[in-house]
Amino acid sequence: IQPLTQELPRYSYLVATIPLLPKADQPMGQQLLASSEAELGLYSEAVRDFPLRSRLPPDLVPPKAADWQAVDAVDAIVTLARDHRIVMVNEAHHDAHTRELTLALLPRLRAMGFTYFAAEALDERDASLMKRGYPVSQSGSEYLHEPLYGDIVREAIKLGFVIVPYDADGTPQEREDGEAKNLYERVFARNPEAKLFVHAGYAHIDKQRGRLGPVKPMAMQLSKLSGITPLSVDQTDIRAENPRRSE
């Protein structure tokens, strides 16, 4: 699908091709299809076609109903962020609902003195991004084609954040190490007192091994490099599996 740079041709190709793939390759095809659907605004269809299941720890004992207290998520995170200099929020790449929280947090964290915003989807080669004020097709991955992700980047620039691309290539561990190194060198090595807001995918925000098996996640590695413990907010292991049903 690499030569197919537009969402609709990519979507049409995947719909026709996934049934022909070997069974072992179909989950990857379904994930790519769901991402294409999200980029086309087919949000509920994306969640339906790649239904991630929550993977809670087997020894987890959840609180009883009487022990729960409902609070506004943005207010609660902002309160916790007062004691942190790194805040990380993750997303499920095919589920644009998980981008709403970052969009809501941007102005609140900016008002608290957070000045750097890092987004996994951005490419460091787009040197004109901040001056231009919005991403274009050369700014990074296809995730930016989805309207909410584009809004996140535009809002961060409008609010005066310094935008930090940080993704890396390589093996799973090389990628985690490279992401952490990029964030450290592009933020804290230049400004040791900086406050950083990171929007990442899935387990990159984890502060210990687990979801990535033996791989040490980016947040764990960044904490080691910087000496700063992040506030990590996970949205991918416990999330609505059918947003349309919950509306």
Side-chain angles (χ1 to χ4, degrees):
I1 65 173
Q2 286 182 339
L4 305 175
T5 58
Q6 299 298 318
E7 288 79 9
L8 189 56
R10 191 161 54 240
Y11 167 82
S12 299
Y13 174 82
L14 287 164
V15 168
T17 305
I18 288 173
L20 307 178
L21 293 174
K23 186 166 286 188
D25 293 334
Q26 289 187 2
M28 177 58 73
Q30 287 297 133
Q31 184 175 5
L32 294 170
L33 173 64
S35 294
S36 291
E37 288 174 326
E39 292 157 18
L40 289 167
L42 303 172
Y43 297 125
S44 295
E45 290 82 350
V47 175
R48 176 200 67 196
D49 291 337
F50 191 62
L52 285 178
R53 303 300 179 189
S54 298
R55 296 179 297 170
L56 303 180
D59 57 347
L60 177 68
V61 179
K64 297 179 181 178
D67 297 328
W68 289 95
Q69 179 181 359
V71 298
D72 180 87
V74 174
D75 290 342
I77 293 167
V78 167
T79 299
L80 293 171
R82 292 173 184 158
D83 298 323
H84 292 80
R85 288 174 47 212
I86 302 175
V87 174
M88 295 185 173
V89 173
N90 70 355
E91 69 165 38
H93 295 314
H94 71 294
D95 185 357
H97 302 87
T98 57
R99 292 170 180 158
E100 293 179 281
L101 178 60
T102 292
L103 193 57
L105 282 170
L106 280 169
R108 300 284 297 274
L109 293 182
R110 184 70 183 92
M112 292 176 61
F114 283 77
T115 53
Y116 292 84
F117 177 71
E120 180 181 314
L122 295 174
D123 191 318
E124 62 183 306
R125 290 172 292 186
D126 185 6
S128 301
L129 174 62
M130 290 183 60
K131 183 177 180 180
R132 187 191 315 115
Y134 56 88
V136 294
S137 57
Q138 292 79 30
S139 297
S141 74
E142 289 84 357
Y143 302 146
L144 293 168
H145 298 183
E146 192 280 313
L148 276 175
Y149 212 132
D151 280 347
I152 286 172
V153 177
R154 286 190 290 271
E155 182 68 7
I157 295 172
K158 180 181 176 181
L159 290 168
F161 279 95
V162 176
I163 307 301
V164 183
Y166 71 94
D167 206 359
D169 295 322
T171 66
Q173 188 61 72
E174 288 171 345
R175 188 179 179 207
E176 301 298 319
D177 291 346
E179 289 182 343
K181 181 173 179 286
N182 286 339
L183 286 172
Y184 176 73
E185 291 182 347
R186 297 171 186 178
V187 179
F188 297 105
R190 299 178 181 179
N191 182 358
E193 301 303 317
K195 289 187 175 183
L196 170 66
F197 183 18
V198 181
H199 183 82
Y202 298 107
H204 294 304
I205 70 165
D206 290 359
K207 293 178 281 189
Q208 61 185 6
R209 293 174 178 170
R211 288 193 286 184
L212 297 176
V215 174
K216 298 176 183 178
M218 173 269 287
M220 179 180 179
Q221 300 298 77
L222 179 59
S223 181
K224 183 178 179 181
L225 287 171
S226 66
I228 303 170
T229 301
L231 170 64
S232 293
V233 182
D234 179 79
Q235 300 189 94
T236 60
D237 264 2
I238 303 177
R239 45 182 283 278
E241 295 178 356
N242 189 338
R244 176 172 289 172
R245 183 176 299 167
S246 65
E247 288 176 353

